[in-house]
Each structure stands twice: as structure tokens, then as C-alpha cells.
Amino acid sequence: MRNKYISCYVAAFCAGLLSTACNDFLDEVPDNRTVIDTPEAVSELLVSAYPDANCVFFTESMSDNVTDRGNTLDPYVQPDWNRANRQAFYWEDIDMTYQDSPNYFWMASYQAIAAANHALEAIAELEAKGVDCFAQKGEALLCRAYNHFMLVNVFAQHYNPAFAATDMGVAYVTEPEKEVFGHYERVSVKETYDKIRKDLEEGLPLISNKAYGDTPKYHFTREAAQAFACRFYLYVGEWQKAIDAADEALGDNPTLRNWNEYIQMSTANREKNYTSVQESANLLLASTVSQFAVDQSFYRYGYSTAVNNSLFQQNDNVVNGVWAYRAEAYNVSSEALTMMKWKPYLKSDGVNSNSGIYYVMDPLFTTDEVVCDRIEALAMAGRYDEACEDIELFLTNKVKNYDSIAQPVTSLMVETYYKKFAPLHPFYENQMSEKQMAFVNCAVDFRRRELLMEGGRWFDIKRFDIEITHEAYQTGATDVLARRDLRRAVQIPEEVISYGVVPNPR
């Protein structure tokens, strides 16, 4: 019953989005308004400018956070998701079109972009009449930039100045057209990033927290916008700008997610709090259609005891402390592990219906990630003492009974511990000292743990050109994702290719 609903939903959405024969989609404003003639109406429209899909399922499945756990868990997951999970694990093109698929993420992202563009069109008309829409314009530009940023980082090779002008990016849509993809072509990664920068830097000064009333965590506040700016500048290697943005996002006394407190919570409360607006670490949340919270522990290719033990079950970190992170296993199998980060919310088809759609709240930006980003940027800027202070801040919230006063982190400790890690390969690798490599490895190491089961590890695998190997459970056969492997760029949807958009090479 649920499968039928999902299939119809996606088929209807794709048909509305792509058909050149029936252009009803976008003939109306995305939130069904016929007139957008006030700043308040624009603000309501911009609710649709945040994606209602996430990429967690397939990006996590492609990463080194998962292993082949055998087929004992297969009966607990629907066949289409099992197939997509296997395809992602082996970096094959994923043919599923339901929620949690690349297809669904692509479509939802461009739908959000369409809403942002309609908002900007309405803003231009209002500004021509002398109406102040600065805050709404800032939010619309940030939303358009962010959605394109995620699209290019999923469906293209990572930004590298040596290849960015020739690597295919995505179509950067800036007009509220009636036919999405009707006349659009993919531009280069460089041009995509240039346009993201333009929207980001134009929109950032316009952001006003006062515009969001009682729901700031669902909008690009100044803190969330600066967190996005930090990530963008980190990706392009502009360290001072990344540091400045991180400082603005974090403020003078940043609050991180305290796993020493989380492990004292009940399972239900930990799951609820992780993506709650009450959690200070969450800077921006998005409500997304997803099965991941329901099925996360049961995919064949998933978070295993082997990975869990390597990451958390040893006093193996720069201060030789015990990690406070906690994984749990469902009683069906010791391999059915979860970090209890995702709470599923079911939206029923009706009062008496036995089918519906699951949603999860996706933390798009957090203070924890921003601190990791700032550690990296500070190291690349040669400001190691400040990076050590951020390392202490992070560990205070993630390691049991860690006291930074009694055990301060020094540069020597970081260099000594992380020299055993394999070198990373960002585009600026040849400009890095051994000391910088150690500190950046530290930031990447922290991010991996913090973003576990959130899909974030995949972007570091791409950005640092990390080679990973996936091994089959029964046969031991291996598949290696090499550096600059073409499969690092997820294939664009088949429906889009059928309308003439150039696919990623294979």
C-alpha cells in the first residue's frame, strides 16, 4: 500500500516537473498562491524554497561508514530500497525514484529553486513599488545558492581549480521558467560555484533574524547563513573567509551538542532531541520526506559493529579518552545498529488510512560541524593555537570526563597522533605542511564521527579524494573507489537525461 502511494507521488511530481506537453507545474506559484503582493506573502512562499528531500540514504551507503553485513537483514527493508542500497554501496547508478533516491533529491532541490526564483520575481516587482523586501530577498538568494551547492556537490566532481572549468556542474536556474529543464544546460563546476558565490555574497548581508518570528530554526538565520558561507569558502580554499564566517556562526560562546548529556537520555529522548529546535547545536533544520529513520538499521550495507568498534570502542583519540558517542542495536540482530539520530514522523493519507509518508527533520547546519570546519581553516591559515582551542571545545562535548584545563591539547599532541593517518588529497595538497596535514586530518576525523549516519562523510571523501574499498560479505570480492573516479559524481536522473540533459560520464 505504501509503495503504491510513493510511486504515484513521485511519478506525478516528475511528470509535472519535466513534461513539455503539460506545463501546469509552475504555471502557478509553487505554494498555490495566485498573487504574491506583500513581503509576508513572499515569506510564506519561501517556506517552499527549502528542499523536502535529503541525500542521507545514498551518500551514507557510498561512504566508508558502511560495510556489507550479509543478507540476514534483507527481509526488514522493502525490495526497492534494498536494491538502491546495494547500488549505492557499489557506486552504481541508482534507478530507484522514490524518496531517499538521487532522483527524488534532484527533483526536490529544483522544486525548491523554483520557489526561490518565483519569490525573487515577486520581490523585484514589490521593490519597484518601493516596498522593502531586503530580508526576503536575502533568504531567497541563500536558498537558491544552497540548493545549487548541494546539487553540484552530489551530481558533479568536487571543486578543483585544475578541473573545475571542464568538469560538468549542474544547470544553474535563475529565472522562474514555466518548463523546468525545457531549455537548461549544465554549466561547468567553476561556473556553478561562481554563481553560488554571487547569490551567497549578495544575499548574506540582507539576512535578518527578525523576519522569522517563532520559527527561526527552519530558515536561513544569520548564524545558519554564515555556517553555509563557512562551508562554501572551505570548499574553495579561502581560509580567512571561512574563519570569519565560522566566527559569525558560532559567536563568542558556542554551544555544541553534548554527547556526555545525550548518553544519559533515554533512547526515545535522544532520538527526539537530536533534530529538535530546542537543541542549540542545530542551526538549520529541514523537514524532508524519508524512510531513513524507519529503515536505517536494517539495510544490508550499513553501519556495522566493525565500523562502530573502529570509531568508538577504543580510547583512540588525541587525548586518549573514551568517546561519549553511543550506538544501539535492535533485537533482530547485533548488526542492526543505529546512532538514534533520526525520529520518524508519519503523515497519514487520511484519518482511516493505513498508508502515508514518513518525514525526518534533517539538520542541514550545526555548530558541531562549523567547529570542525574552523579547525581545518585555522590550521590552513597557520593558526594552530586557536585550532587547539577548538579541538578542546569539541572534545569537551564528545569525550567522557575530558577536562581541557587538566589536559590541554597542544600542537605536538595533534601532530604525534595524526601522523599515523593516511595523507589527504585536497587540490591544495602540495601546499600543505606535515603539521597542516595533521590538523586537517583531525578535523576530518572529528567530522566523520560527528556526522555518522547523516551522509556528511561522503563529501569529505570527495573533497579530499580519499580512496575507499567496499568488500562483499560472502565472497570477499572488493571494489575500489579510486581518486578522481568518475563514480564520485552521482548519475543524474534518467528522466532528466531523456530530456536532453548531458549525463555524467561513466
Side-chain angles (χ1 to χ4, degrees):
M1 185 72 178
R2 184 175 60 190
N3 272 344
K4 181 179 179 181
Y5 181 95
I6 295 168
S7 179
C8 291
Y9 177 88
V10 176
F13 175 62
C14 293
L17 195 58
L18 295 172
S19 175
T20 55
C22 181
N23 299 325
D24 291 339
F25 184 82
L26 295 185
D27 282 349
E28 300 179 10
V29 176
D31 70 344
N32 293 325
R33 288 177 172 272
T34 55
V35 178
I36 308 172
D37 57 358
T38 66
E40 292 74 21
V42 175
S43 292
E44 291 185 34
L45 171 58
L46 284 171
V47 171
S48 301
Y50 296 86
D52 69 352
N54 67 64
C55 58
V56 174
F57 165 65
F58 62 89
T59 54
E60 193 72 6
S61 299
M62 292 188 290
S63 78
D64 54 0
N65 285 342
V66 304
T67 62
D68 182 355
R69 303 182 294 182
N71 61 5
T72 58
L73 296 172
D74 284 359
Y76 296 96
V77 181
Q78 297 178 68
D80 287 321
W81 273 263
N82 270 331
R83 185 182 72 254
N85 177 228
R86 179 189 61 78
Q87 290 170 332
F89 183 78
Y90 288 109
W91 308 297
E92 298 171 357
D93 295 348
I94 301 170
D95 55 17
M96 186 179 81
T97 58
Y98 305 145
Q99 66 257 48
D100 300 311
S101 69
N103 179 295
Y104 197 89
F105 182 73
W106 173 286
M107 301 299 179
S109 297
Y110 275 110
Q111 185 181 39
I113 290 167
N117 285 333
H118 274 274
L120 287 165
E121 180 183 54
I123 288 166
E125 294 174 357
L126 287 167
E127 288 181 335
K129 300 175 183 178
V131 180
D132 178 1
C133 293
F134 288 160
Q136 289 78 11
K137 184 175 183 179
E139 184 179 14
L141 289 168
L142 264 292
C143 287
R144 186 167 73 183
Y146 172 75
N147 283 289
H148 284 108
F149 179 80
M150 291 304 299
L151 284 164
V152 74
N153 279 288
V154 169
F155 295 99
Q157 293 287 348
H158 182 72
Y159 176 85
N160 182 328
F163 306 105
T166 53
D167 282 343
M168 281 193 297
V170 295
Y172 204 98
V173 184
T174 59
E175 298 294 334
E177 299 289 348
K178 306 303 181 183
E179 298 178 25
V180 176
F181 303 122
H183 306 286
Y184 295 124
E185 295 182 359
R186 298 177 68 175
V187 297
S188 69
V189 169
K190 180 183 183 303
E191 186 172 347
T192 306
Y193 265 74
D194 288 345
K195 291 182 176 182
I196 292 168
R197 180 193 295 271
K198 182 178 182 298
D199 280 348
L200 172 64
E201 294 182 346
E202 182 182 351
L204 195 56
L206 305 178
I207 292 292
S208 172
N209 290 5
K210 295 179 181 179
Y212 303 134
D214 297 330
T215 59
K217 290 290 181 81
Y218 300 109
H219 299 273
F220 266 114
T221 60
R222 283 202 58 80
E223 293 77 16
Q226 292 288 356
F228 173 30
C230 175
R231 188 188 296 178
F232 175 83
Y233 291 127
L234 201 67
Y235 278 28
V236 297
E238 297 182 21
W239 315 122
Q240 189 55 54
K241 288 184 178 180
I243 293 167
D244 292 343
D247 290 346
E248 290 292 327
L250 294 169
D252 295 332
N253 297 293
T255 300
L256 274 59
R257 193 184 314 275
N258 191 331
W259 271 89
N260 287 296
E261 295 177 357
Y262 267 61
I263 59 175
Q264 304 300 322
M265 298 178 186
S266 67
T267 297
N269 282 339
R270 189 162 69 254
E271 180 184 64
K272 177 182 177 182
N273 287 4
Y274 197 88
T275 57
S276 168
V277 295
Q278 304 303 321
E279 172 55 73
S280 299
N282 294 327
L283 297 177
L284 178 60
L285 294 166
S287 176
T288 60
V289 181
S290 177
Q291 284 285 122
F292 192 71
V294 178
D295 296 336
Q296 58 181 313
S297 301
F298 306 114
Y299 300 118
R300 171 171 177 165
Y301 308 95
Y303 182 48
S304 64
T305 54
V307 176
N308 184 65
N309 290 343
S310 69
L311 291 178
F312 300 125
Q313 297 305 308
Q314 305 174 43
N315 295 3
D316 192 12
N317 50 58
V318 71
V319 294
N320 199 36
V322 178
W323 291 106
Y325 297 101
R326 180 180 176 182
E328 297 186 27
Y330 286 96
N331 57 14
V332 297
S333 169
S334 62
E335 287 292 332
L337 291 176
T338 175
M339 296 291 289
M340 300 307 297
K341 292 182 172 183
W342 303 99
K343 179 176 175 57
Y345 297 91
L346 179 64
K347 182 178 180 180
S348 175
D349 294 345
V351 176
N352 299 314
S353 174
N354 62 355
S355 66
I357 290 288
Y358 280 104
Y359 286 77
V360 298
M361 302 308 301
D362 187 7
L364 304 182
F365 293 98
T366 67
T367 57
D368 307 280
E369 183 183 356
V370 176
V371 166
C372 294
D373 293 350
R374 189 166 67 179
I375 291 170
E376 181 182 339
L378 286 167
M380 292 305 301
R383 294 159 60 176
Y384 302 108
D385 289 345
E386 293 169 79
C388 285
E389 292 176 4
D390 272 350
I391 292 171
E392 292 173 351
L393 171 63
F394 186 86
L395 294 176
T396 298
N397 290 274
K398 317 299 177 181
V399 170
K400 294 180 180 179
N401 303 316
Y402 171 66
D403 184 344
S404 61
I405 297 176
Q407 191 181 9
V409 173
T410 67
S411 292
L412 180 60
M413 291 168 63
V414 176
E415 291 180 81
T416 301
Y417 180 79
Y418 283 101
K419 69 181 181 182
K420 65 184 179 182
F421 280 56
L424 302 167
H425 308 289
F427 65 79
Y428 43 87
E429 177 185 6
N430 293 336
Q431 303 167 23
M432 296 176 70
S433 67
E434 290 184 3
K435 189 172 186 176
Q436 285 174 319
M437 183 66 73
F439 272 85
V440 174
N441 250 319
C442 176
V444 173
D445 184 38
F446 286 177
R447 259 197 308 267
R448 182 182 184 185
R449 287 175 169 82
E450 185 62 30
L451 301 180
L452 185 68
M453 299 192 82
E454 296 181 42
R457 172 65 173 173
W458 176 246
F459 299 105
D460 271 351
I461 288 170
K462 291 182 67 171
R463 187 156 72 94
F464 294 102
D465 220 3
I466 299 171
E467 183 176 289
I468 60 175
T469 301
H470 282 171
E471 180 177 336
Y473 180 82
Q474 284 93 346
T475 66
T478 59
D479 193 357
V480 177
L481 187 73
R483 296 178 58 187
R484 285 285 297 175
D485 195 308
L486 294 176
R487 297 173 296 175
R488 290 173 182 262
V490 174
Q491 188 57 273
I492 67 176
E494 291 182 7
E495 293 93 333
V496 178
I497 296 172
S498 72
Y499 278 83
V501 180
V502 179
N504 288 323
R506 287 291 184 259

